[in-house]
Structure formats: C-alpha cells, structure tokens
C-alpha cells in the first residue's frame, strides 16, 4: 500500500477499483472528459443518483471500472462531505481515502491535511494518461457544499432556499449560461484570449481543470469578503488554493477583477488594462482556468489563473538561469563566477520547499535552523555561508534584478570571498514562488 500526499500519484491496474472513506461521510463522484466538466447530470454520481456508466455506489463504497466509463470520459473526481449536510468537516474525524484494486489488495491511502470550515473536500481523481489510468491525491476544500462543487464542474444546481443547494433534489442539467462552465469559458473567454495571444505572436493556452477549480474557489472567497485580494478572508492565498489541487508549476500569474458582468466584458478589461494585458499575453504560460462568483450588491468577482506546469527538469533549468544571471552580474563587476555546489543546492531547494510547506518566509526556519545549519546538514564544508531569499517573483530575471536592487542582497552576490553557490526554487505557498540563494566560501 502506498501512502499518498497531496499531488502524489500512482499507476492503477486494469479492472474494477473500490473507493471508501470510512466514517460519518458521504462520497460523490464527477465523471468528466478533457474539458474538466460534466456533460450532463448523469455524470454526477451521489447519494440521490448512485449509478452511472462505469461507476456505482453501494452503501459507503464507490466502485469504478475505468474501461467501462462513458465514451470520452478521462477522469473521475472523488469528493467527500459530511453525512449531515452543511456540517464543517473540521468538526468530524479526519477523512481518509482507501483505494482497493480488483484483487482486493489496498493500493493507496490518502489522509489530507485536516480540514477546517470546508463542508466538501476533493480527495482524489482517477485519470487517464495515454492508454493507462492513474490515481492522484488532491485535498481541495469547498465551504459551500455540493453546490460549489457541482457548479465548479459545470453543473447548474437549483437551490430551493431551505436546504444546501444540491443536497435535496440534486443537480439539474448543465447550462452554458450558469457559472463558469468550460464550454462557455472556451467560447466566451479562452478562445478570444488565444486569438489575442496569436496576434501578439504568443502560443495559445489550454484549459486546465485544477486551475479552474482554484480560480473558482478564490473568486468565491473574494465574493464572500466583498473585496479583491490575493488572500481571502480565510487567510488562504490564491496560490495556496492552487497548490491544494495538486497542481505544481514553474510559473504562475493571476487576474483578480470585480465588476465585469460577462466573460466577454472580463476579457475586454484584461485586454485594455496594461498589467492585466501583460499577464494575458505572457508566453511563459501554457494553461489557464477561470472562476467567477456573485458578491454583495450584485457585484461579480473574477479570478483567472495562468500557469506553466512543472515538468521534469523545469526547476533545474530555472535554477540554472539564476546561476547564469548572478554570474553575469559578478562578471560586470569584475569578479570571478561562482561555481554551482551540490550541497548548497540541496540546502537551498529544501529551504524554498520548507517555506511553501510550513507557510513562512524567513532565514530562520520554524525549527530554529539557520542558513549555515542547513548547509552543513546538506553536507557542505564551507566555512562561510550567506543566503538571499525572495518570494513572489515570476522569473529568474525578476528575482536577480530584485536582489541586485537591494543593498544587502547585492552585497552577497558581489562578495569577493564567495566561491560557490546553490539555488533553490519552489512554486506554491502564500506568495506563489519562493527562491533561495546560498553562497559558500
């Protein structure tokens, strides 16, 4: 059995899979294709509609036979909520998902970080990659129950005003005009956005369901607070919402907007506003997702997320670019280059990842470790160690420029006594990107 963490995945065997979450919970499943949205209400499997092609509930157990799903289906997303509708999951035992293979052997277990006020939690997705199927652990929460979950997957949910939307009568059929469903986003936002990118000589982006899920969650948070912001009233940043979906990236950008009433108006705003236009036309991004939510006074809040997913070697290439730019600054000052150092690199990467994981930004970690402690623990024998850190910068060029514009950081980069360097980059966390630069002599 494999213990998964958020974002972790493993290959699945052929045949019928069994999914269970023991305890006072209700499971539901959404069957989607590459668009990330359901095609109709038959794709939303829950307690009032316990069966679909290739998926079925029997009591507290969901069985999925990937090869028997409806034509075009490429993903089954599994979510869990309290058996008593509207109960925050933080008041219940922590849910733990177990997936069993066709031979009865437990393949994986996933226990997400303990939820708080969320009433529904995305736990995992069974998805097709080429000709095979895989399991990915998620961990994204919704405070507005099945209603928020269903709408995020393109289902219009009727709220009768007495029960949480979707908990009594279930979902109705998807609507091209209700909520940010993918067909509408493609037709009214993404396709014209790609036309603008083409005119600027920039490659198109494609819709990504996890970007859309995080964008929708953040739009809802802004609407609840009645204000724009990178962080919602719950203290969670838009980047943290994206990280919780299991999406790893090397570059990310966002639009946080209120006012436009339609996707067309939202796009028009982005095209005529300089900063927003730069993000829309940024060639670094390859994927995008859009979310919107109604707020006080009929105000509409929008979040668009743009990103480039992390692929093997991307982090190393980004770090190598920082090394090159740093040595370029030293050369301009008449100084010899700094040699890449494996131990310093290990320590720098670990510190950037730690700042994301433990939600802090400092040279001294919560456990009290300092730069020279971390360097020594990674195997460094350097007698003198210095460190630059940064967060929020979107590229290697931006972070090096920022360091060079700061006297203390500049002094480290141009210190004649330093001979070696290690770089660590991590995407995610409250600020979106975290950078660590360790020097040794």
């Amino acid at each position: 059995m494999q213990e998964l963490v958020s974002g972790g995945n493993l290959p699945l065997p052929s045949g019928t899979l069994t999914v269970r979450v023991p305890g006072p919970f209700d499971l539901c499943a959404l069957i989607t294709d590459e668009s990330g949205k359901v095609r109709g209400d038959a794709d939303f499997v829950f307690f009032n509609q316990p069966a679909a092609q290739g998926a079925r509930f029997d009591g507290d157990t969901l069985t999925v036979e990937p090869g028997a799903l409806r034509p075009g289906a490429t993903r089954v997303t599994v979510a869990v909520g309290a058996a008593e509708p509207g109960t925050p999951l933080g008041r219940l035992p922590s849910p733990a998902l177990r997936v069993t293979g066709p031979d009865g052997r437990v393949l994986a277990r996933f226990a997400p970080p303990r939820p708080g006020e969320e009433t529904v939690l995305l736990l995992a997705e069974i998805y097709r990659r080429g000709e095979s199927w895989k399991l990915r652990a998620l961990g994204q929460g919704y405070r507005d129950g099945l209603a928020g979950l269903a709408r995020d997957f393109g289902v219009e949910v009727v709220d009768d005003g007495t029960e949480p939307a979707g908990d009594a009568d279930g979902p109705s059929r998807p609507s091209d005009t209700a909520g940010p469903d993918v067909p509408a986003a493609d037709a009214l936002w993404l396709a014209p956005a790609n036309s603008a990118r083409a005119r600027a000589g920039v490659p198109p982006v494609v819709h990504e369901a996890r970007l859309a899920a995080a964008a929708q969650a953040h739009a809802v948070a802004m609407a609840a607070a009645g204000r724009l912001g990178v962080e919602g009233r719950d203290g969670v940043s838009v980047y943290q919402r994206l990280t919780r979906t299991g999406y790893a990236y090397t570059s990310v950008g966002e639009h946080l907007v209120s006012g436009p009433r339609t996707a067309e108006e939202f796009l028009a705003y982005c095209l005529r506003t300089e900063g927003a236009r730069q993000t829309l036309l940024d060639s670094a991004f390859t994927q995008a997702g859009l979310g919107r939510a109604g707020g006080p006074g009929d105000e509409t809040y929008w979040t668009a997320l743009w990103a480039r997913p992390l692929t093997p070697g991307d982090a190393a290439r980004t770090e190598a670019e920082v090394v090159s730019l740093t040595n370029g600054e030293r050369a301009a000052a008449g100084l010899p280059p700094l040699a890449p150092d494996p131990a310093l690199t290990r320590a720098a990467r670990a510190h950037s990842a730690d700042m994301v994981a433990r939600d802090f930004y400092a040279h001294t970690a919560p456990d009290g470790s300092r730069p020279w402690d971390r360097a020594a623990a990674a195997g460094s024998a350097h007698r003198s160690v210095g460190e630059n850190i940064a967060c929020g910068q979107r590229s290697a060029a931006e972070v090096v420029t920022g360091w060079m514009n700061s006297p203390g950081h500049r002094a480290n980069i141009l210190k004649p006594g330093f001979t070696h360097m290690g770089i660590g980059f991590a995407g995610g966390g409250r600020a979106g990107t975290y950078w660590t630069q360790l020097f040794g002599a």
Side-chain angles (χ1 to χ4, degrees):
M1 180 181 72
Q2 184 168 337
E3 291 279 349
L4 294 177
V5 298
S6 296
N9 62 73
L10 81 162
L12 294 169
S14 299
T16 301
L17 305 168
T18 302
V19 180
R20 290 195 66 222
V21 181
F25 305 109
D26 279 327
L27 283 176
C28 67
L30 297 111
I31 301 167
T32 58
D33 51 26
E34 292 297 337
S35 72
K37 301 295 177 176
V38 298
R39 287 186 179 176
D41 55 4
D43 282 348
F44 192 7
V45 185
F46 66 124
F47 49 83
N48 273 359
Q49 184 170 271
Q53 188 174 339
R56 174 178 293 276
F57 279 114
D58 184 9
D60 64 351
T61 301
L62 169 68
T63 57
V64 179
E65 188 175 351
L69 294 171
R70 65 161 172 79
T74 60
R75 194 181 306 265
V76 178
T77 303
V78 180
V80 66
E84 183 65 31
T87 301
L89 291 170
R91 301 179 189 174
L92 303 175
S94 294
L97 175 139
R98 295 169 69 92
V99 179
T100 303
D103 60 356
R105 181 173 58 92
V106 177
L107 302 174
R109 179 181 181 273
F110 172 52
R114 184 171 181 81
E117 294 302 308
E118 297 91 340
T119 56
V120 170
L121 194 66
L122 291 184
L123 283 179
E125 58 185 9
I126 298 166
Y127 64 103
R128 191 173 69 198
R129 181 59 52 87
E131 296 302 316
S132 61
W133 290 81
K134 302 182 74 174
L135 174 74
R136 179 187 287 118
L138 298 176
Q140 180 198 345
Y142 289 78
R143 291 190 176 192
D144 47 354
L146 281 182
L149 173 70
R151 292 189 183 103
D152 202 20
F153 281 78
V155 181
E156 182 183 4
V157 179
V158 178
D159 186 352
D160 65 8
T162 59
E163 294 289 334
D167 286 345
D169 298 324
S172 66
R173 293 191 176 276
S175 165
D176 284 349
T177 58
D181 61 86
V182 171
D186 283 341
L188 303 178
W189 173 67
L190 198 54
N194 278 332
S195 294
R197 288 172 67 89
R199 290 192 297 271
V202 178
V205 294
V206 297
H207 175 88
E208 216 293 331
R210 287 168 292 175
L211 291 176
Q216 179 63 19
H218 196 69
V220 169
M222 291 194 300
R227 61 177 177 83
L228 298 175
V230 172
E231 291 186 11
R233 192 165 53 190
D234 54 6
V236 180
S237 80
V238 65
Y239 315 113
Q240 289 171 310
R241 299 185 204 283
L242 180 53
T243 302
R244 288 176 180 180
T245 70
Y247 186 93
Y249 57 83
T250 53
S251 185
V252 67
E254 74 286 336
H255 290 129
L256 307 176
V257 178
S258 64
R261 295 165 297 174
T262 65
E264 301 101 309
E265 290 181 6
F266 169 77
L267 177 61
Y269 167 84
C270 293
L271 287 172
R272 70 172 181 266
T273 306
E274 182 57 30
R277 180 180 175 85
Q278 289 178 359
T279 298
L280 191 152
L281 300 181
D282 194 327
S283 61
F285 303 136
T286 59
Q287 298 179 337
L290 178 68
R292 73 179 181 192
D298 293 327
E299 188 82 345
T300 302
Y301 288 81
W302 300 82
T303 300
L305 282 172
W306 307 74
R308 183 183 190 90
L310 179 68
T311 58
D314 275 348
R317 282 191 290 271
T318 299
E319 294 162 2
E321 189 176 354
V322 176
V323 171
S324 176
L325 291 168
T326 298
N327 281 332
E329 296 292 348
R330 286 179 65 88
L335 296 169
L338 300 174
D341 184 282
L344 293 177
T345 297
R346 286 194 297 272
R349 287 175 176 172
H351 189 56
S352 290
D354 193 28
M355 288 191 287
V356 171
R358 291 200 277 181
D359 191 22
F360 74 97
Y361 177 65
H363 294 287
T364 301
D367 60 8
S369 65
R370 294 171 293 181
W372 40 90
D373 301 319
R374 295 188 290 271
S380 172
H382 293 290
R383 295 183 177 181
S384 176
V385 171
E387 183 180 76
N388 288 342
I389 59 174
C391 65
Q393 293 79 9
R394 304 305 173 83
S395 67
E398 186 178 342
V399 75
V400 172
T401 298
W403 281 331
M404 289 299 293
N405 288 336
S406 167
H409 299 95
R410 179 186 177 92
N412 271 341
I413 289 175
L414 301 182
K415 186 173 180 176
F418 285 142
T419 57
H420 292 75
M421 174 175 48
I423 304 296
F425 165 81
R430 191 175 299 273
T433 57
Y434 288 79
W435 310 78
T436 301
Q437 186 176 44
L438 267 179
F439 304 91

